[in-house]
Amino acid sequence: MAVEATTLIIFGGTGDLARRKLLPALFQLGCKGRLPDNLRIVGFARQQRSDDGYRDLMGESVREFGSLAPHADEWTDFAKNLFYLPGDLDVPGDYANLQSRLKELEEGQEPANRLFYLSVAPRFFEAAIANLGSSGLAGEPGLGRIEHGWRRAVIEKPFGRDLDSARTLNDAVGRVFDESQVYRIDHYLGKETVQNLLVFRFSNTIFEPLWNRNYVDNIQITAAEEVSVEDRAGYYDNSGVVRDMVQNHLLQLLTMVAMEPPNAMDANSLRNHKIEVLRAIRRWEPADATQNTVLGQYKGYLEERGVASGSSTPTFAALRLYVDNWRWQGVPFYLRTGKSMAEKVTEIVIQFKRPPHMMFSVADADDLSPNSLALCLQPDEGVHLRFGVKIPDQGMIMDSKDMSFHYDSAFKDQDIPEAYERLLQDALEGDASLFIRSDHIEQAWRIVEHLLENQSGVSNPQPEQYDPGSWGPESSDRLLAENGHRWLGVCGLDQEAHA
Ligand SMILES: NC(=O)c1ccc[n+]([C@@H]2O[C@H](COP(=O)([O-])OP(=O)(O)OC[C@H]3O[C@@H](n4cnc5c(N)ncnc54)[C@H](OP(=O)(O)O)[C@@H]3O)[C@@H](O)[C@H]2O)c1
């Protein structure tokens, strides 16, 4: 009987992502017994290396970035299935070499499945996909599972620089692969805490009846980084916060908070419901867009090495969005993200409406926070529910307190796995739920288009300056104040109270 084999080909197999994330994640999956039987991994890049040289390099990477030491025995078995082929993605003949090498490795183990992982700079995506098609490596176009085994492609982010380039890339991909074969990555979706958003929302009945415009006052999504652009200034200056964080990560979080409950966790149900949210996001006319967005740049950014002189690239963005549907009509969704901010934190805060009538006094009017539910994605993964309580021995005076759940104390002995573990496993198993469909990518670019115009200086030549270590420019606070709101700080606590 034929033995089915699977080959994972990593284009850019010696790069930073492969060394820091992909190989450590694959090794970890191997140690957990979650890789397919007969899996081979073939690294592909231009530098000359032997199979053994590649095994050594990856061994060092797993030691440095993963957890090799406790699994030294497993490494020997794992490394036997690592191979390397030098080649240039721009040279069509090198795809023919790859085809021959794969046939040699897979001999006697057909049907052989192949997963092509494009872990290379985005400028290679289009040509590499076209070459996979013309060389025959991708198999018959339009067939998810060809008679010789399935063919799939994982495409790293960023997928396009704007709507036009994303469309062009989608078209190029569509000429070679069927959509069901394509796995566009946003590694955020592989994070446990991001997936927990779905479990939290759709496995608990107590919150769902409140999860709408009747009870929710506003929703805040923050992804703040303490670090500056550091040694990525050259890349970052070309990209900026909107491409780096808003178009992908923040909009993903928004869709998960706002989506309707799907009937199943399959890729299409989930992705159909997410795109419904994106389609319902109100599109601003240019004049309104400026009223509803704030772009900032931290002081000192222009002095960073690699940043163009007088650059108008924003390092901070705050947005007020509305989801025009039955559930969310009129509820503002505030999104903010930036570099060089006061703290590293990613969280979603659902702020509920105030009681219609307040009978009790409060010790301090500033402490009268309305109920809020904070879903903390990092660094302190957990959930905080804030409610009013009576202060003991002080009449009927009330205060607001938190009820908290923390992953690290609730699941003490379990490590939270790296996002790439889950995503690689899913791609190998053919589950595209946590990957991004072509229509989602394009819709997300449409939503941020006006911000990209601003970025290139069309209507907002210079973003507002903010102090490193702060929560961004003052206009970001004004954006909320206009609606009588204010940013709630780390895990539901008031920002100032927290500081
Ligand atoms: N690094 C991260 O943490 C991270 C996070 C999220 C997303 N990503 C995305 O992942 C992708 C890879 O990023 P990276 O940081 O790993 O980049 P990188 O460190 O620059 O690695 C690029 C890889 O591509 C190979 N390469 C370059 N030109 C090639 C060519 N013409 N033909 C064949 N191979 C070629 C390089 O090896 P040779 O020079 O020897 O050919 C190297 O193995 C990018 O799309 C990036 O946006 C990276």
Side-chain angles (χ1 to χ4, degrees):
M1 207 175 82
V3 187
E4 188 166 315
T6 303
T7 311
L8 165 59
I9 301 100
I10 305 180
F11 292 131
T14 56
D16 182 66
L17 182 69
R19 286 187 295 106
R20 280 196 314 117
K21 300 287 180 188
L22 303 185
L23 262 295
L26 286 162
F27 179 55
Q28 203 57 37
L29 285 172
C31 295
K32 293 177 182 172
R34 294 185 188 165
L35 291 176
D37 292 339
N38 296 316
L39 176 77
R40 290 182 188 81
I41 298 163
V42 178
F44 181 102
R46 288 169 307 176
Q47 57 192 255
Q48 292 295 327
R49 266 177 200 280
S50 62
D51 290 339
D52 279 339
Y54 190 58
R55 287 168 191 146
D56 291 345
L57 180 71
M58 291 302 125
E60 281 163 31
S61 306
V62 174
R63 189 171 296 114
E64 189 175 352
F65 303 111
S67 49
L68 182 60
H71 305 287
D73 295 344
E74 284 102 325
W75 174 255
T76 314
D77 281 343
F78 180 86
K80 278 184 203 145
N81 291 312
L82 284 179
F83 301 89
Y84 184 76
L85 182 71
D88 189 329
L89 286 168
D90 287 331
V91 176
D94 287 355
Y95 293 80
N97 294 343
L98 179 60
Q99 179 74 289
S100 325
R101 185 79 202 272
L102 293 180
K103 285 200 168 136
E104 197 183 289
L105 291 172
E106 291 159 350
E107 200 178 342
Q109 299 201 328
E110 291 88 5
N113 307 311
R114 292 176 188 167
L115 177 63
F116 300 100
Y117 196 121
L118 274 70
S119 178
V120 284
R123 69 187 169 85
F124 289 112
F125 293 167
E126 211 176 313
I129 295 277
N131 279 320
L132 282 174
S134 57
S135 63
L137 276 161
E140 295 293 313
L143 291 178
R145 192 180 174 89
I146 64 168
E147 59 177 313
H148 301 298
W150 51 252
R151 303 287 182 262
R152 293 181 194 137
V154 176
I155 306 176
E156 259 302 332
K157 71 163 199 141
F159 195 94
R161 275 186 61 76
D162 51 24
L163 179 58
D164 283 348
S165 55
R167 272 193 187 133
T168 306
L169 185 53
N170 269 335
D171 289 347
V173 172
R175 282 193 285 277
V176 175
F177 291 105
D178 182 76
E179 182 61 29
S180 62
Q181 296 173 276
V182 184
Y183 292 70
R184 293 174 196 77
I185 275 208
D186 177 346
H187 68 271
Y188 235 58
L189 292 179
K191 287 179 184 283
E192 286 284 317
T193 44
V194 174
Q195 291 159 45
N196 184 48
L197 286 177
L198 296 176
V199 175
F200 187 84
R201 276 203 59 196
F202 303 129
S203 71
N204 296 304
T205 50
I206 54 172
F207 298 110
E208 192 54 25
L210 311 179
W211 212 265
N212 57 54
R213 65 189 300 276
N214 297 325
Y215 294 94
V216 174
D217 189 61
N218 70 87
I219 294 182
Q220 305 183 8
I221 304 179
T222 296
E225 291 180 88
E226 231 176 317
V227 292
S228 64
V229 291
E230 297 180 311
D231 54 357
R232 290 173 72 226
Y235 156 80
Y236 193 92
D237 200 41
N238 243 317
S239 169
V241 71
V242 178
R243 293 188 172 94
D244 200 42
M245 292 296 291
V246 180
Q247 183 270 348
N248 39 37
H249 305 330
L250 288 194
L251 288 181
Q252 281 292 350
L253 295 181
L254 187 155
T255 58
M256 289 169 113
V257 172
M259 71 195 275
E260 294 301 314
N263 71 329
M265 253 304 280
D266 64 87
N268 268 340
S269 308
L270 208 60
R271 299 192 296 178
N272 286 345
H273 282 79
K274 281 163 70 176
I275 190 138
E276 281 299 310
V277 175
L278 292 185
R279 289 205 184 106
I281 291 178
R282 193 177 302 167
R283 302 282 305 283
W284 301 116
E285 295 299 325
D288 298 330
T290 334
Q291 300 296 313
N292 287 284
T293 53
V294 174
L295 295 177
Q297 191 183 74
Y298 64 82
K299 290 178 190 161
Y301 175 75
L302 294 176
E303 282 81 60
E304 302 273 14
R305 244 178 84 167
V307 168
S309 147
S311 166
S312 62
T313 298
T315 60
F316 173 94
L319 287 78
R320 175 170 49 209
L321 296 175
Y322 288 95
V323 178
D324 285 333
N325 62 16
W326 191 286
R327 188 188 280 264
W328 294 119
Q329 189 58 243
V331 177
F333 284 74
Y334 301 112
L335 276 52
R336 70 173 163 174
T337 178
K339 294 237 172 240
S340 276
M341 292 184 66
E343 286 192 39
K344 174 187 166 79
V345 60
T346 306
E347 67 183 2
I348 299 169
V349 183
I350 320 290
Q351 186 173 337
F352 293 96
K353 292 192 169 171
R354 289 177 185 278
H357 169 65
M358 180 51 78
M359 305 179 288
F360 310 113
S361 1
V362 280
D364 178 346
D366 281 347
D367 281 348
L368 181 57
S369 320
N371 292 134
S372 66
L373 177 70
L375 303 161
C376 304
L377 276 57
Q378 63 175 12
D380 171 22
E381 294 94 350
V383 179
H384 295 241
L385 181 62
R386 194 160 179 78
F387 43 67
V389 290
K390 178 184 175 305
I391 301 178
D393 200 23
Q394 290 198 26
M396 293 303 275
I397 298 181
M398 61 159 288
D399 196 359
S400 293
K401 293 289 170 208
D402 259 20
M403 187 160 79
S404 314
F405 154 80
H406 298 274
Y407 260 94
D408 60 358
S409 53
F411 297 100
K412 272 200 192 75
D413 303 326
Q414 269 165 284
D415 284 341
I416 296 187
E418 276 285 330
Y420 279 95
E421 261 187 57
R422 172 68 194 262
L423 295 172
L424 281 160
Q425 188 181 348
D426 283 0
L428 286 163
E429 291 175 358
D431 180 353
S433 313
L434 299 177
F435 294 83
I436 305 160
R437 217 165 55 185
S438 57
D439 49 353
H440 181 119
I441 285 272
E442 291 183 16
Q443 195 62 33
W445 279 120
R446 254 179 222 115
I447 291 165
V448 299
E449 254 186 325
H450 66 277
L451 292 173
L452 297 176
E453 278 172 10
N454 280 355
Q455 187 166 320
S456 56
V458 175
S459 54
N460 182 8
Q462 204 58 41
E464 198 176 322
Q465 301 275 293
Y466 62 95
D467 288 322
S470 72
W471 286 101
E474 281 173 17
S475 301
S476 156
D477 295 333
R478 278 203 293 275
L479 190 71
L480 273 71
E482 284 166 11
N483 294 49
H485 298 141
R486 61 181 174 178
W487 289 107
L488 295 169
V490 180
C491 294
L493 298 178
D494 181 79
Q495 208 166 274
E496 285 138 32
H498 179 78

